[in-house]
Amino acid sequence: MTDKIDQSHAMRHSLAHITASAVKKLWPEAKFGVGPVVESGFYYDIDLGSKKLSDEDFPAIEAEMKKIIAGNQAFERDEVPIDEAIKWSQDSMQPYKEELLNDLKRSGTTVAKELDPEQLGLPGGGNGQVDKVSFYKNGDFIDLCRGPHVASTGQVGVFKLTKVSGAYWRGDEKKAQMQRVYGVGFANQEELDKYLKMIEEAKARDHRKLGQEMDLFIFSDMVGSGLPLFTPRGTVLRDELAKFSNELRRAYGFEMVWTPHITKKDLYEKSGHWEKFGEELFLVKSQETKDELVMKPMNCPHHTRIYASQPRSYRDLPIRYLETTTDYRDEKTGELGGLSRVRAITQDDSHVFCREEQIGEEMNNLLAAARELYATVNMKLRVRLSYRDESDAYLGAKELWQSAQEQLKQAVVANELEYFEEEGEAAFYGPKIDFMATDAIGREHQVATVQLDFIQPERFALEYTASDGSKAQPVMIHCALLGSIERFLGVYIEHTAGKFPPWLAPEQIRIATIADDKSFVDFALDMAEQAKGLGLRVGLDVGRDSIGKKIRSAELDKVPYTVVIGKKEVESQKLVPRIRADFEVQKEHQPVGSQQFLQTVVNETESRISKTSL
RNA sequence: GCCAUCUUAGCUCAGGGGUAGAGCACUUCCAUGGUAAGGAAGGGGUCUCGGGUUCAAAUCCCGAAGAUGGCUCCA
């Protein structure tokens, strides 16, 4: 297994070199950055001066690459003293390589930030002095590189250049922007085809496309970018999801609270958000007092005010607040996308205020709630323990962090959750457990989050009276199960391809008549009334279109159940519902009375199951 | 915010210096139909917006807005 990974790594990295060789051949003035391996492929950062690459250049580059591959040039490794390497970079007009080499010479690493030198295929990553570096040569192309590579260019499998985009040199937005050419590479055509098919599938499920087709949400130029408006159908999804998330926590003693959407900025200065995120806050001005307010980007500081509004005793804790509410963040335009990143973000946000010894149980409750939610929506979960790194981007004493991080890990281990640990992913006020959910086509998305926070209680001077009469500081536990309703919906639409289970389906039952015969229509109207009386969401199609067309329309709308009403149904008073293709049908379905059918759908809705018991 | 590409009817898209086209959707009429499109007719567009070039701009040029793919960021 490891060998296979190493092999595909070497192949992809070799492809990056071949891409660079080809570009160099076509545009000899090309200056190169780095060319690492990424998921399914590779990229190479290239500075071509004023020449702008586009997809239209791919055939030429690919043709050149194929020549190099056909030539089966050996990858030859060469080790040279670093000063010689620097001279090479100057002579061959490769300023980016020169910068890397100088860094390497100075500090023993090329790593500016989180870039992993191993991933970049660069030497370094260690500490101290480096006096030799390695080069790889294929044909007449030479590149600074730590390898490994395949033995020769004929051994790279199949590839395809996929896209070109801008990328900052060394990931720094203050530095020059280069052109990044992306490609994918696989051992054989079959695997490449499989990958391309997955990309097609992802496109077909794109929540922006389905949101449009299924009439779930819209964007309006007059409202603004990053500000989705939800239609009646989309709002059903939002409300049902929020209801579920709230129910899960109410069972553990959470109480609903409500807080206003604007506030004085003092609140956020106190919490630390203003300093950290000031530029991403929307400002609101009072026309009378000229006071400047902010749109809330977060709810925790507000909830601390409710906590602090009364003296609290150790007997009162834990106190658990829950609010599903919309926050506003002035995200940069280029960062917006569909529902994944919006400026009006609705969080199913909760905060526990508890004593230190209560942390374990509270965490367990929240982890259980998260597991139940993701089991219900049929997504596999694993968690990332998001720790701080050594930078100064965090508030509070390091010992506190250490203890908090350990407690999170304990809770995760005790709950037998699959986890991995990552530094530098924490919030500025505390470490997090970030839940990653895998969707139906294997992509992982960050969804729920549970965060331990000793910092805000301190900054807001929260306290309670301990059993001995002394004042003690509570701990805060932040939690959002869906994360952001908008982002969750985006993920979930793609996970299900819009085929929502009955409990979420905006339209659960479509009643279609064979013709506009009065007896058929009366039956349909009567049944629809019954369904509405039971709280079901039902759609009627009693027009003069053909039944074939009505069925097709219900299928395209992905309605779970379609009921066809004609002479047969009116006479027998029984029906055979048409069940959407993705449902698992548990038994042979026979004609049932409409009453019985509707009751089954009610049961499925209440138990939030995604199979049909018909 | 940065780089690139894109923006034509409600939707999906074709066209292209001489003032617009298809399919679906919509409306009306005919057909009263049995589980993924019955037939016909009709309505619908300042070609995203603002400037410029031109006898003439939806088409070419510049700018803005919005979208998409990345980069950067993500409480």
Side-chain angles (χ1 to χ4, degrees):
Chain A
M1 190 62 192
T2 318
D3 285 351
K4 200 180 166 198
I5 291 170
D6 288 348
Q7 178 62 17
S8 72
H9 188 280
M11 285 165 67
R12 286 168 182 162
H13 186 50
S14 300
L15 278 166
H17 276 232
I18 294 169
T19 306
S21 327
V23 167
K24 177 92 180 160
K25 191 146 241 166
L26 293 166
W27 295 279
E29 72 286 7
K31 294 174 177 51
F32 295 99
V34 294
V37 171
V38 292
E39 174 105 42
S40 303
F42 59 91
Y43 66 77
Y44 218 113
D45 283 349
I46 304 163
D47 180 351
L48 281 177
S50 56
K51 162 71 190 171
K52 301 291 176 208
L53 286 176
S54 78
D55 313 6
E56 284 156 32
D57 295 308
F58 288 174
I61 302 172
E62 286 177 338
E64 204 58 51
M65 290 172 72
K66 282 176 182 153
K67 272 190 229 164
I68 295 167
I69 291 168
N72 202 21
Q73 304 162 353
F75 279 102
E76 294 167 38
R77 186 172 196 275
D78 190 17
E79 210 162 85
V80 302
I82 191 146
D83 289 318
E84 209 175 291
I86 291 171
K87 184 162 185 319
W88 162 83
S89 65
Q90 291 163 346
D91 292 347
S92 49
M93 315 276 279
Q94 292 296 337
Y96 300 102
K97 299 291 182 189
E98 186 183 347
E99 184 181 325
L100 292 175
L101 285 162
N102 278 321
D103 278 12
L104 201 54
K105 185 180 177 184
R106 194 167 46 246
S107 60
T109 175
T110 56
V111 184
K113 291 172 83 181
E114 312 83 33
L115 296 174
D116 175 3
E118 189 138 6
Q119 204 193 15
L120 296 184
L122 287 167
N127 297 306
Q129 293 298 305
V130 166
D131 35 57
K132 285 195 162 181
V133 293
S134 60
F135 279 83
Y136 276 83
K137 177 168 182 284
N138 60 281
D140 47 15
F141 179 79
I142 303 174
D143 198 5
L144 166 69
C145 176
R146 69 145 62 171
H149 282 280
V150 292
S152 65
T153 57
Q155 299 176 23
V156 292
V158 294
F159 75 97
K160 184 176 177 353
L161 296 183
T162 50
K163 56 198 171 199
V164 56
S165 71
Y168 298 109
W169 169 234
R170 307 189 89 171
D172 184 343
E173 61 184 323
K174 288 177 193 70
K175 293 203 161 105
Q177 192 152 41
M178 308 181 75
Q179 300 190 71
R180 178 170 294 179
V181 176
Y182 284 89
V184 292
F186 292 93
N188 51 54
Q189 189 66 38
E190 199 182 329
E191 280 183 43
L192 175 62
D193 289 345
K194 209 170 102 189
Y195 171 82
L196 294 174
K197 213 173 150 200
M198 195 278 276
I199 299 293
E200 281 304 304
E201 178 61 30
K203 231 183 227 169
R205 289 167 178 255
D206 190 314
H207 73 272
R208 292 166 298 204
K209 178 173 175 279
L210 290 174
Q212 164 84 260
E213 285 173 10
M214 298 179 70
D215 188 25
L216 301 174
F217 57 88
I218 58 147
F219 287 91
S220 160
D221 282 3
M222 254 187 264
V223 173
S225 63
L227 299 169
L229 315 182
F230 285 78
T231 63
R233 286 175 178 266
T235 304
V236 167
L237 291 170
R238 291 177 64 99
D239 288 354
E240 289 295 330
L241 285 167
K243 192 173 135 204
F244 183 34
S245 163
N246 290 344
E247 268 174 31
L248 282 169
R249 270 170 294 183
R250 275 181 161 166
Y252 292 114
F254 280 82
E255 300 174 286
M256 302 293 284
V257 295
W258 184 90
T259 65
H261 292 211
I262 57 176
T263 177
K264 293 203 286 189
K265 77 178 190 190
D266 307 38
L267 184 67
Y268 287 101
E269 283 172 344
K270 190 84 175 172
S271 71
H273 288 90
W274 178 259
E275 197 194 342
K276 178 98 179 159
F277 296 108
E279 288 180 4
E280 280 120 84
L281 297 194
F282 282 111
L283 303 176
V284 184
K285 202 170 211 162
S286 158
Q287 297 195 49
E288 187 213 334
T289 65
K290 306 298 176 202
D291 282 347
E292 204 168 67
L293 301 171
V294 302
M295 303 290 292
K296 68 173 173 180
M298 258 286 112
N299 313 302
C300 30
H302 293 77
H303 291 183
T304 70
R305 298 304 78 215
I306 301 177
Y307 175 90
S309 63
Q310 285 184 33
R312 307 289 179 181
S313 150
Y314 72 99
R315 296 177 202 274
D316 300 329
L317 304 187
I319 287 174
R320 309 179 185 94
Y321 296 146
L322 171 57
E323 179 174 21
T324 293
T325 182
T326 305
D327 298 326
Y328 304 88
R329 298 176 182 181
D330 196 357
E331 305 282 4
K332 293 181 193 166
T333 50
E335 287 156 357
L336 302 170
L339 293 182
S340 318
R341 193 80 173 264
V342 293
R343 285 178 167 150
I345 171 183
T346 307
Q347 303 201 74
D348 57 331
D349 201 11
S350 68
H351 297 96
V352 175
F353 299 84
C354 68
R355 310 195 298 265
E356 268 196 68
E357 67 271 21
Q358 293 171 322
I359 292 173
E361 193 185 339
E362 293 304 310
M363 297 285 300
N364 287 343
N365 292 347
L366 293 169
L367 296 184
R371 278 200 305 204
E372 187 175 341
L373 190 147
Y374 287 91
T376 302
V377 297
N378 225 350
M379 295 180 92
K380 187 174 157 275
L381 269 190
R382 63 172 187 152
V383 304
R384 176 180 68 205
L385 285 162
S386 300
Y387 301 149
R388 63 172 295 166
D389 56 27
E390 289 307 309
S391 77
D392 55 5
Y394 308 95
L395 299 178
K398 277 197 179 161
E399 306 78 69
L400 267 180
W401 276 82
Q402 196 57 40
S403 141
Q405 291 179 179
E406 275 163 25
Q407 290 186 69
L408 286 185
K409 185 169 176 178
Q410 274 172 25
V412 164
V413 170
N415 281 275
E416 296 179 341
L417 282 158
E418 185 189 336
Y419 71 94
F420 63 102
E421 298 165 277
E422 209 161 310
E423 289 188 357
E425 290 290 331
F428 71 89
Y429 50 71
K432 308 189 281 180
I433 301 174
D434 288 316
F435 289 76
M436 321 291 293
T438 305
D439 71 17
I441 55 174
R443 296 170 302 178
E444 211 170 39
H445 309 269
Q446 190 180 322
V447 281
T449 177
V450 176
Q451 311 173 0
L452 205 44
D453 181 1
F454 298 99
I455 311 304
Q456 292 194 63
E458 188 184 321
R459 291 182 71 105
F460 283 108
L462 302 183
E463 59 181 28
Y464 65 89
T465 306
S467 56
D468 63 2
S470 66
K471 297 294 183 194
Q473 197 175 86
V475 177
M476 270 174 91
I477 304 172
H478 309 237
C479 171
L481 292 181
L482 296 165
S484 135
I485 290 187
E486 291 78 15
R487 188 156 43 79
F488 179 85
L489 250 181
V491 168
Y492 190 66
I493 289 169
E494 299 189 6
H495 174 57
T496 56
K499 294 179 175 177
F500 306 118
W503 71 277
L504 278 172
E507 183 179 343
Q508 299 165 309
I509 303 170
R510 170 82 50 95
I511 305 176
T513 52
I514 295 278
D516 61 352
D517 182 287
K518 186 167 186 306
S519 68
F520 305 170
V521 173
D522 285 348
F523 188 105
L525 290 173
D526 188 47
M527 185 170 165
E529 275 313 305
Q530 282 180 51
K532 282 180 198 158
L534 291 165
L536 293 172
R537 301 181 287 269
V538 57
L540 276 169
D541 195 350
V542 295
R544 298 175 60 190
D545 286 327
S546 71
I547 190 61
K549 190 165 182 176
K550 289 179 182 179
I551 294 287
R552 178 178 150 83
S553 154
E555 285 288 344
L556 291 176
D557 290 345
K558 302 176 170 63
V559 179
Y561 298 108
T562 304
V563 174
V564 174
I565 303 300
K567 198 170 166 201
K568 234 164 44 184
E569 287 74 18
V570 171
E571 280 172 4
S572 71
Q573 293 288 306
K574 294 213 178 223
L575 44 92
V576 180
R578 183 186 165 100
I579 297 167
R580 200 181 58 205
D582 59 298
F583 277 120
E584 203 177 301
V585 181
Q586 289 181 343
K587 56 187 180 197
E588 184 98 357
H589 59 295
Q590 298 290 331
V592 290
S594 58
Q595 199 82 46
Q596 190 192 337
F597 165 67
L598 293 175
Q599 193 54 50
T600 305
V601 183
V602 168
N603 296 344
E604 288 177 353
T605 303
E606 281 170 359
S607 54
R608 297 196 172 93
I609 61 168
S610 51
K611 294 174 178 178
T612 177
S613 42
L614 278 166

